[in-house]
Structure formats: structure tokens, C-alpha cells
Amino acid sequence: GVFVVDTRDEQNPRTITARRGRITPDDRENTVVLELQDGSAHVVPEGNPGHYQVSRFQTLKLPLSVSDPRSASVRERNPDELTIAELLAAVQERGASGEKTADLLVSLHKRFATPAACLVFITLGTPLAIRIRKSGRGISLGLTVALAFVYYALMVFGHGMGKNGLIPPFWGVWLPNLLLGGVGLLLFIGGDRESWTPASLREAWTTAR
């Protein structure tokens, strides 16, 4: 009951099924051999999708590398795929060789800034909800969508600026949280609604009620 997808030849990937299989090591070549018995190989050539090739075999031997995939350089992986420990190690390694670390630092700060955004929206949303609770659901929904759009736009802008080294990665990632969180804190400590609401908005809310 063996099922194998062999994509080492990108032009002719193979799907192999076999009744039995076993693995034997080859220490001299630093490989293992996957020996399949009583099966078939199915190939759909990439350049000729109208053709379908099937070949049966009694025995098929596939040499496989036994190198540890974890030993691959972290530079070959997307920073978002690395753990925090791997990111810190990669930042230190690149810094020692004089290479840019902005993309790694952006990914590192994202691990903390993204969950912190929940607290930012609580800090901002609570005083806003108190101030517009009588203004109708339409205004509440519109304000919610507007805040989400503003946060997303600031996040994309900050991440791009940080990765390109135009601003420090810390400020690029934490910019949306700091700005919206600051507004939320001002609303929390700002007293009544009239002290922070522009006159035009106060008149609109009064008319809506």
C-alpha cells in the first residue's frame, strides 16, 4: 500500500503506487534506497498535458537523500516560516556578516505586534462604543469598517517601509498599534464625548438620534 509522489524531475513528475516497499540504507553514498515492488508509475508530461504515461514494474529502486532538512540555511526560508529562536539566530548571523536584517526584524516584531492588536482594538473600541451607542447601527458598522481599513493600510505601509529600510522595523510594525492605541487612550481619559468630538460630528449624531 505504498503511494509516492516524485517531483524531482519538475518537467515529468511521477505518481507511483506499489503493493510493497522497503527502505535500505547506503552509508557509502549517504543515501537510502526506497525499493518498491509490484507497482506502476504514472507520468503526465508538463509540456504535453494530453499524454498520460503508465509503466508497470516488478521492482523499482528510488535513491533518496538522507540529509536533515533542518540543517538547511534559514536564508532559504521565508522569515515568516521561522520560529522566534530561529529569527533571533538569523538576525545575529546576518548582522555579523554585515547583511541586511530588516525583513527578519519585521517578521520578529510581527509575532508580538499582531496579538497586541487585540488589546488596541479593545482600548479604542470601548470608549467609541460608549460615545456612539445611541447613534444607530449604521454609524457603528461604518466606523468599525473604517477603523479596520485604517489599521490594515497602516500595517501594509509600515511593513513595506520597514522591510525596505526606510524606517526602523520596530516603528514600521508597531506604527498601527501605537497610533490607534494612542487614540484609544485619549478617548479613555478624555472625559465626555463633546471634549473630543468635532462640532460637525456632534451635529450629525444629534440629527441621527
Side-chain angles (χ1 to χ4, degrees):
V2 183
F3 182 89
V4 178
V5 177
D6 184 2
T7 59
R8 290 177 292 185
D9 184 354
E10 296 182 357
Q11 300 298 322
N12 298 286
R14 296 190 296 176
T15 301
I16 305 170
T17 60
R19 187 178 299 276
R20 295 178 302 276
R22 66 176 182 174
I23 294 177
T24 58
D26 187 344
D27 296 332
R28 293 175 298 177
E29 299 293 335
N30 194 34
T31 61
V32 295
V33 176
L34 176 60
E35 183 178 323
L36 303 176
Q37 299 176 348
D38 190 13
S40 60
H42 308 257
V43 180
V44 178
E46 183 175 315
N48 197 353
H51 287 71
Y52 185 86
Q53 303 172 2
V54 180
S55 58
R56 295 196 57 82
F57 58 84
Q58 291 299 320
T59 301
L60 177 65
K61 295 183 178 181
L62 299 176
L64 306 175
S65 172
V66 294
S67 59
D68 188 348
R70 293 172 298 179
S71 65
S73 172
V74 295
R75 299 180 186 179
E76 300 176 358
R77 298 165 58 189
N78 189 303
D80 290 337
E81 299 174 351
L82 304 178
T83 65
I84 293 177
E86 289 173 334
L87 282 171
L88 291 173
V91 169
Q92 187 175 8
E93 179 184 350
R94 284 194 188 181
S97 60
E99 298 182 44
K100 294 182 179 180
T101 60
D103 59 330
L104 296 174
L105 290 173
V106 166
S107 183
L108 179 63
H109 285 296
K110 279 170 57 179
R111 305 298 172 88
F112 303 97
T114 300
C118 299
L119 297 177
V120 170
F121 278 101
I122 292 175
T123 304
L124 181 61
T126 302
L128 283 177
I130 295 174
R131 285 165 169 75
I132 64 173
R133 63 183 183 275
K134 297 181 180 179
S135 300
R137 295 181 179 179
I139 293 180
S140 300
L141 179 60
L143 185 58
T144 301
V145 173
L147 287 175
F149 177 79
V150 169
Y151 184 89
Y152 178 78
L154 290 173
M155 180 183 67
V156 173
F157 172 78
H159 289 183
M161 297 284 282
K163 288 183 178 180
N164 292 323
L166 300 177
I167 59 176
F170 173 86
W171 295 109
V173 176
W174 287 93
L175 177 66
N177 289 354
L178 294 175
L179 288 180
L180 295 185
V183 172
L185 289 176
L186 288 177
L187 292 174
F188 255 123
I189 64 177
D192 59 2
R193 181 181 67 191
E194 283 72 17
S195 61
W196 293 102
T197 306
S200 58
L201 289 181
R202 290 202 302 270
E203 294 176 359
W205 283 333
T206 301
T207 303
R209 291 203 302 269

